[in-house]
Amino acid sequence: MTVLVLSVMLPALAAPVDRVPEDFATIQDAVNKGEAPVIRVGPGDWKGAVIDRPVAILGHESHIVSGPSVRGARAGFTVTGRADGAEIRGFSFQCDGPTLDMGVYSSTRQFGRADNVVVAENVFSQCV
């Protein structure tokens, strides 16, 4: 009796969603190290991130209270020219303290042009 064994290599499938804090400790880690097209951010106070890839970042009872420095000010999210199609949804930006000045920042001259970026369903409190 002859036994035929076939070995099939299946490509590794990336998870469709990266989660903060379950999969990554910070939003920036999820942007930098994650590969999913969606990042879901859990409830709580969070530092924002520089977005340099096309990803949907979705908050749920998520508050951005600080972020990356941009020319002496702090933005919750900074969008670069490599973030075509990015989305930022479901966050509150609390700019009433010393750690956050702006909600979402992008500069074509400084970072390049990003097209089709969606910023929706967010709440901005005292932001520039």
Side-chain angles (χ1 to χ4, degrees), residues 3-84:
V3 177
L4 180 61
V5 177
L6 296 175
S7 176
V8 178
M9 299 289 287
L10 296 176
L13 299 176
V17 175
D18 288 326
R19 299 167 302 156
V20 175
E22 294 89 343
D23 301 323
F24 296 94
T26 67
I27 298 170
Q28 191 67 67
D29 282 347
V31 171
N32 293 350
K33 299 174 185 173
E35 296 181 6
V38 175
I39 298 170
R40 291 199 186 274
V41 180
D45 292 346
W46 298 99
K47 181 177 182 178
V50 175
I51 304 171
D52 60 1
R53 67 179 177 101
V55 63
I57 304 175
L58 310 175
H60 174 71
E61 296 179 19
S62 309
H63 313 287
I64 302 298
V65 296
S66 67
S69 181
V70 179
R71 295 185 172 209
R74 295 206 178 267
F77 290 101
T78 299
V79 180
T80 74
R82 295 183 301 201
D84 285 349

Side-chain angles (χ1 to χ4, degrees), residues 67-75 78 97-102 105 110-111 128:
S69 181
V70 179
R71 295 185 172 209
R74 295 206 178 267
T78 299
T99 59
L100 192 65
D101 303 299
M102 301 177 277
Y105 177 82
Q110 189 173 0
F111 298 116
V128 172

Side-chain angles (χ1 to χ4, degrees), residues 86-104:
E87 285 186 51
I88 301 167
R89 291 182 185 270
F91 291 92
S92 70
F93 294 83
Q94 300 175 1
C95 301
D96 54 354
T99 59
L100 192 65
D101 303 299
M102 301 177 277
V104 179

